[in-house]
Amino acid sequence: MNKDLIINSSADGVEIALLEDKKLVEIHNEKMDTRWAVGDLYLGKVRKIIPGLNAAFVDVGFEKDAFLHYTDLSPYVKSLIKYTQEAIHNNDNKFDFSKFQSEAEIVKTGKISEVLNGKPNVLVQILKEPIAAKGPRLTCELSLAGRFIVLTPFNEIVAVSKKIHSGEERKRLQKMMESIRPKNFGVIVRTAAEGKSTAELHEDLLTLVENWKNIQANLKGAMAPARIMSEESKTTSILRDLLNEDFNKIVVNDKKIFDLTLSYLQRIAPAKANILSLHAGDGEIFDQYGITKQVKSSFGKTVNLNSGAYLIIEHTEALHVIDVNSGFKSVSNNQEENALQTNLEAAEEIARQLRLRDIGGIIVIDFIDMKLPDNKRKVQEALDGFMKTDRARHSVLPISKFGLLQATRQRIRPEVNINTSEDCPACNGTGKITSTLLLEDEMEKKLAYLTTHGHKRIQILVHPIIHSHLTKGVFSSIIKKWRRKYKLKLSSQPDNSSHLVEYKFLDDQQEEIKL
């Protein structure tokens, strides 16, 4: 699979498109004033504790208080609160985290009022961005993500990604990280670490430990609410999580972003620095790589498939509903076979749509009815397979007896929603146009104005339907009436490129007369 990353910088922000085999699978927007990104660390002030929800509302500077549930506190939250206070009031620069004395873990079934008693200031991380009228969702289970590992303070656990299937490789990575892990830090080994050397993993570890020292320095004397550390830019976070041998092109249209991306690539993957290039063309970068066209065809209520089948995607308050329709083509005379082939094609596009639009929560898919259990299983397994490249956590259930498949997908930021429709140039989006009678009066008023300014020969360019209206009748057409009335050499010319109520006046040099 070939992957391309196309980055378009504009005055409003940065748009990042990820292509897999030239097909758009992810699009990200990073505004210039972006705050509250997933992964950002804040010093928050506990404002209100709600025992009934077993949750607290925390002020992190957003217009609405952020939400912190007991299940997101982390077993080591008492250590975190103690550390936060010590880091804030640290008067010298000799605070050694390796000598930090951890507190007892909290129990899973405890009460938040007991843990956050006194409403302390606490270091929190954005778990979900603000969505609709809700503020951010927070976690106290802090994690710092690198390319090969994730660093988790306040614990001593080393875990290896389950996506690394080789038992021997898992043991090697486990043993390696146990030997180089600093005290008071846990480590999660990511899938990308498979086959990597001790030196590569150690370098990634040292970078993350240095980030933790910066967080500690930023906490010193901080007043809540305050941002302590920002997540990397969308560009670098995508490269951090996805960069592998499949990437063959990264194109940027901004010199500053080019330099930052090059610096990042030279640091994490020097061998891949040569795939980065600066867009030098005159046209829009998204147009040149076919992204604009794919965005127009991929968003909206209806999504067409190559076979003639199509999807209807609806969003309700509680869930997303996707309806699969067979369209007008059939691959065979066998109804069951037609349903299976259409559903398999739809499954691939649905997996792409979920990722492209970043749809989260509960998703209900109404596939075309199939009678055979084996075919239902094939469709469910196909969807599961197509979603393997999706970084968001997800779960797919078997197709029910009603022909519905239920799935869930992790939601951490608002859904990507791009309006692909355009206002009609004739009605300006109102659904109504000027009456032909009023149009006729409007044109005559302008003709009268032009005659008073010395024009003697005028040609009117109009839509063919309006041309027919103006010229109908051999002796009594509107054009003939205007000729006699204003003593003009006047003619009407049909123009297929004109909108229904659009018209232009041309002079005797065939140049448009501006009014």
Side-chain angles (χ1 to χ4, degrees), residues 289-304:
Y289 289 93
I291 295 166
T292 304
K293 186 176 181 180
Q294 288 196 56
V295 167
K296 292 285 187 183
S297 64
S298 300
F299 286 84
K301 181 178 176 179
T302 303
V303 178
N304 295 310

Side-chain angles (χ1 to χ4, degrees), residues 99-373:
K99 296 178 181 177
F100 177 77
Q101 296 296 315
S102 297
E103 297 293 303
E105 295 181 19
I106 62 171
V107 296
K108 290 182 178 180
T109 55
K111 295 179 180 180
I112 199 166
S113 56
E114 296 172 355
V115 178
L116 298 182
N117 185 32
K119 300 180 180 178
N121 292 343
V122 62
L123 188 62
V124 291
Q125 192 164 29
I126 303 292
L127 185 63
K128 290 184 181 180
E129 293 177 11
I131 298 175
K134 299 177 181 177
R137 181 159 182 171
L138 306 176
T139 180
C140 289
E141 198 149 6
L142 308 185
S143 61
L144 305 179
R147 191 177 176 207
F148 303 124
I149 64 172
V150 177
L151 197 65
T152 56
F154 307 109
N155 70 63
E156 307 281 338
I157 298 170
V158 174
V160 180
S161 169
K162 293 179 181 177
K163 292 183 180 179
I164 299 176
H165 300 297
S166 168
E168 197 171 306
E169 176 65 3
R170 289 170 63 86
K171 287 179 183 177
R172 181 186 77 89
L173 292 169
Q174 178 96 21
K175 188 175 180 181
M176 182 195 305
M177 294 313 304
E178 288 282 8
S179 64
I180 63 175
R181 174 189 61 81
K183 192 176 186 321
N184 281 331
F185 285 111
V187 173
I188 300 170
V189 182
R190 306 183 72 173
T191 311
E194 188 170 9
K196 301 301 177 183
S197 66
T198 304
E200 289 174 294
L201 297 182
H202 192 237
E203 184 181 355
D204 203 26
L205 177 63
L206 291 177
T207 301
L208 296 178
V209 170
E210 191 62 33
N211 288 347
W212 181 251
K213 289 179 180 177
N214 291 335
I215 290 167
Q216 187 172 299
N218 292 340
L219 275 173
K220 184 179 177 181
M223 299 285 289
R227 181 157 59 173
I228 302 302
M229 188 201 75
S230 295
E231 174 66 302
E232 295 171 316
S233 69
K234 284 276 200 305
T235 304
T236 52
S237 65
I238 289 171
L239 290 174
R240 179 195 69 201
D241 293 344
L242 296 179
L243 185 65
N244 57 27
E245 62 278 0
D246 292 340
F247 266 83
N248 62 354
K249 189 184 297 178
I250 303 172
V251 188
V252 188
N253 70 341
D254 181 85
K255 185 64 168 65
K256 184 179 179 182
I257 296 176
F258 173 86
D259 292 339
L260 290 172
T261 306
L262 179 61
S263 174
Y264 186 73
L265 283 173
Q266 288 173 336
R267 180 160 57 87
I268 69 164
K272 281 289 185 181
N274 63 335
I275 69 173
L276 177 66
S277 63
L278 186 63
H279 177 65
D282 295 331
E284 293 287 337
I285 187 171
F286 272 15
D287 292 344
Q288 182 169 326
Y289 289 93
I291 295 166
T292 304
K293 186 176 181 180
Q294 288 196 56
V295 167
K296 292 285 187 183
S297 64
S298 300
F299 286 84
K301 181 178 176 179
T302 303
V303 178
N304 295 310
L305 307 180
N306 292 333
S307 67
Y310 59 96
L311 308 176
I312 302 292
I313 302 177
E314 300 264 21
H315 180 200
T316 72
E317 184 67 26
L319 48 81
H320 284 80
V321 180
I322 302 176
D323 185 30
V324 181
N325 293 276
S326 58
F328 57 88
K329 290 185 180 178
S330 298
V331 293
S332 74
N333 293 325
N334 186 311
Q335 184 178 351
E336 182 77 6
E337 181 64 20
N338 283 338
L340 175 61
Q341 294 306 317
T342 301
N343 286 339
L344 290 174
E345 182 188 20
E348 182 175 8
E349 181 60 26
I350 287 168
R352 172 177 170 258
Q353 286 289 329
L354 297 181
R355 190 173 165 193
L356 181 60
R357 302 185 189 215
D358 207 1
I359 292 174
I362 301 171
I363 301 134
V364 176
I365 305 168
D366 183 9
F367 283 107
I368 298 170
D369 287 341
M370 297 173 294
K371 295 180 180 178
L372 300 179

